[in-house]
Amino acid sequence: MKFQAFTRRAVPPIMAAAALGAGLTACGQASAPQPPASAPATPTAAVAASATPTLSAPQLQFVSDVRNVLTFGSDVTDAKVASFGQHACRSVQSGTLAGEVQPARRAFPTISKGDAIQLITIAEKDLCPAQSGPQMVTYVATGSSADVTYGPSGSGYQGAVPLTVTKPLIGNPQFYSMSVQLKNGGTATCQIRVDGVTIVSASASGSTNVASCAMNQDLNGSWQETSLNG
């Protein structure tokens, strides 16, 4: 009987010690340092699309061909040149090359009329070849009664006022010229045009006076007024 009583009294302290140990273990687990949570990924900044448009192969060829013969200001980008070429093709399709000369000179103020013709002609060749054709020269004489001589160097076609003759620009003549000689006074005018654009014009008045016009190509191939006397 005494042994049993001793056993009953001894069990509770043992159980209490076990419970205390379990509590300490749980407490230790709760206070153990936890691994840091992974930091949120830094958002990747969106890469802005390039402001420079990508040019097609024909556009790149057009820009290269134009820059080989014409000089623009330092602020003229390839994209601007290509954009004008596309515009010229659309406009010429429903109009004429001559109608695009002034827009070309507004877009690129440093170029001449002859340069503008060349710019548009290159656009046709590179960007809209279906619209490309041989350049044409037109001789125009107006005014009082007069004799006319005209044509490329080495020729001497004859005519009389009034006269309008259009021929293809072929070969590589040194120059194209025209003279209008008055017979009995009055006034006469000569003009030489390329693709409808007047490159040179002159007038004369008085008995036997002569209106003379001539044009040639500069070193870059652009048409310009020239003098037969050098």
Side-chain angles (χ1 to χ4, degrees):
M1 294 296 292
K2 291 181 181 180
F3 175 79
Q4 291 177 348
F6 171 80
T7 302
R8 284 195 298 268
R9 286 195 300 269
V11 169
I14 293 174
M15 294 178 62
L20 178 59
L24 291 174
T25 301
C27 182
Q29 290 176 345
S31 61
Q34 299 296 315
S38 58
T42 303
T44 303
V47 178
S50 173
T52 303
T54 301
L55 302 183
S56 65
Q59 288 175 323
L60 290 171
Q61 184 64 57
F62 168 65
V63 171
S64 175
D65 289 345
V66 169
R67 289 197 183 277
N68 281 338
V69 295
L70 301 181
T71 301
F72 300 112
S74 59
D75 62 330
V76 176
T77 64
D78 289 353
K80 181 175 182 179
V81 176
S83 177
F84 180 82
Q86 295 291 170
H87 162 80
C89 276
R90 291 191 298 269
S91 297
V92 171
Q93 188 174 18
S94 57
T96 64
L97 184 151
E100 284 305 297
V101 168
Q102 287 307 314
R105 299 188 73 189
R106 285 195 296 270
F108 310 105
T110 61
I111 67 175
S112 66
K113 286 191 294 184
D115 292 338
I117 293 171
Q118 192 171 19
L119 172 64
I120 299 163
T121 300
I122 295 172
E124 290 179 332
K125 176 178 68 71
D126 289 344
L127 301 177
C128 47
Q131 296 168 222
S132 182
Q135 286 193 302
M136 307 297 288
V137 57
T138 301
Y139 307 89
V140 180
T142 59
S144 306
S145 177
D147 294 324
V148 180
T149 302
Y150 65 95
S153 56
S155 68
Y157 299 111
Q158 301 292 314
V161 172
L163 178 142
T164 300
V165 175
T166 299
K167 293 180 176 292
L169 284 165
I170 55 177
N172 189 29
Q174 184 178 3
F175 59 84
Y176 290 78
S177 64
M178 184 178 195
S179 65
V180 182
Q181 182 165 7
L182 289 160
K183 292 181 178 180
N184 301 304
T187 300
T189 299
C190 65
Q191 291 184 15
I192 303 179
R193 304 170 182 168
V194 174
D195 291 335
V197 180
T198 300
I199 301 299
V200 55
S201 64
S203 61
S205 59
S207 178
T208 69
N209 280 342
V210 179
S212 297
C213 295
M215 71 173 191
N216 69 347
Q217 288 178 299
D218 64 17
L219 294 177
N220 293 325
S222 297
W223 293 103
Q224 62 180 0
E225 180 177 355
T226 190
S227 170
L228 293 176
N229 297 322

